[in-house]
Amino acid sequence: MFSIGDFAQLGLVSVRMLRHYDALGLLQPAHVDPASGYRFYQASQLSRLNRIIALKDLGFTLQQVRSILDERVSTAELQGMVRLRRAELEERITADTARLLRVEARLRTIEREGRMHTEEVILKRIPPTRVAELTAIAGSYESEDIGPVIQPLYGELFQRLDRAGVTPSGYGIACYEPEADGRVVVHAGVEVTAEASEAHDFAIVDLPAVETAATIIHRGSMDQVGTTFQTLAHWVEEHGYRSVGLAREVSIECPDDRDRWVTELQMTVSTV
């Protein structure tokens, strides 16, 4: 048998933790010296200790760990739990990374307040445009809601166009339509010259001309578009205009590197 100190070293845990497990009845010593009170453990108990640590690291409480071990969880079942927990942790890391990127983008917007280059805004007329489009619903205007909707939507649109033998004739054009419950209808479109047909599994929509649009070029990932949109909003307000209708996002360049994307933001405006 091994002293509690030696067993702690073998199991890569602290002596304090072993005493705690003993107090909870989770891992009791194989023998306690009646005279000294010293605890002694057997090598076979390392198996239970390994399961305790693995389950605790999976996020189970010690009470839950005890219940699981008392049910004699097999190695295969434990491995399954580990795989599930790994997937959950990877998903959380992805979500936390995306959240950090949003915070950084928001901080950049705050840093630019008061020194936004509104001279980059151009007023122009937008001619009528025909697009093929698909639509879907996003939970809100937040990037974590829009991105997972619009990205696969465009992938599906181009697949359907290819099957129909329809070739895009220009840029991708996206716009977002608010609903009363706070959700957003996402319109993912691309310029085409094709006529509408009942055989198509996508819509052909003729976007009307916009007589006066305030436009600005956004360079970089659309996750960071907030700063550019706010620059546009400041310009519209400062020059005596108001926003009417839906804003459009025209994808001018979309290489694999999203930091090199070039997108024109178009806001329909009229005089106040």
Side-chain angles (χ1 to χ4, degrees), residues 30-66:
H31 174 71
V32 178
D33 185 283
S36 65
Y38 290 165
R39 298 170 173 87
F40 294 90
Y41 295 81
Q42 295 176 333
S44 60
Q45 291 181 281
L46 288 169
S47 175
R48 185 176 178 91
L49 177 61
N50 290 335
R51 284 163 170 74
I52 292 171
I53 300 303
L55 290 168
K56 184 168 69 73
D57 286 345
L58 284 173
F60 292 103
T61 66
L62 291 179
Q63 288 74 19
Q64 291 171 327
V65 169
R66 180 177 179 178

Side-chain angles (χ1 to χ4, degrees), residues 247-263:
R248 300 177 186 174
E249 298 173 356
V250 181
S251 301
I252 298 173
E253 296 180 16
C254 296
D256 292 339
D257 183 356
R258 295 184 182 183
D259 290 334
R260 298 175 59 192
W261 282 8
V262 178
T263 308

Side-chain angles (χ1 to χ4, degrees), residues 53-119:
I53 300 303
L55 290 168
K56 184 168 69 73
D57 286 345
L58 284 173
F60 292 103
T61 66
L62 291 179
Q63 288 74 19
Q64 291 171 327
V65 169
R66 180 177 179 178
S67 298
I68 292 171
L69 291 181
D70 288 346
E71 294 174 5
R72 299 183 181 276
V73 174
S74 68
T75 300
E77 290 172 323
L78 188 59
Q79 289 173 339
M81 292 179 183
V82 171
R83 286 193 293 269
L84 178 60
R85 182 57 173 166
R86 180 187 294 118
E88 291 173 349
L89 290 174
E90 289 174 349
E91 183 177 349
R92 182 182 300 174
I93 290 170
T94 300
D96 287 345
T97 300
R99 186 178 298 110
L100 180 59
L101 290 174
R102 291 195 300 272
V103 170
E104 291 174 344
R106 187 68 66 172
L107 288 175
R108 282 192 292 271
T109 299
I110 293 171
E111 290 170 356
R112 290 192 61 185
E113 288 175 356
R115 53 186 180 88
M116 295 180 175
H117 302 292
T118 56
E119 67 272 11

Side-chain angles (χ1 to χ4, degrees), residues 112-228:
R112 290 192 61 185
E113 288 175 356
R115 53 186 180 88
M116 295 180 175
H117 302 292
T118 56
E119 67 272 11
E120 299 170 357
V121 177
I122 297 174
L123 277 181
K124 64 182 180 182
R125 180 182 185 275
I126 307 297
T129 307
R130 172 169 293 182
V131 299
E133 75 166 28
L134 292 178
T135 61
I137 302 295
S140 74
Y141 280 110
E142 295 184 26
S143 59
E144 64 265 34
D145 289 330
I146 295 293
V149 173
I150 195 167
Q151 292 168 14
L153 204 57
Y154 265 114
E156 179 65 24
L157 175 61
F158 285 120
Q159 288 182 14
R160 295 188 185 189
L161 290 174
D162 185 61
R163 288 197 299 265
V166 175
T167 302
S169 60
Y171 300 133
I173 300 177
C175 61
Y176 310 96
E177 184 178 0
E179 293 200 314
D181 61 0
R183 296 186 301 169
V184 178
V185 180
V186 179
H187 297 261
V190 65
E191 292 181 84
V192 295
T193 58
E195 298 293 330
S197 170
E198 293 183 357
H200 293 159
D201 52 358
F202 49 84
I204 297 292
V205 179
D206 290 315
L207 301 178
V210 177
E211 294 305 318
T212 308
T215 67
I216 189 171
I217 296 296
H218 170 72
R219 301 181 187 278
S221 169
M222 293 304 288
D223 292 337
Q224 302 172 14
V225 74
T227 299
T228 312

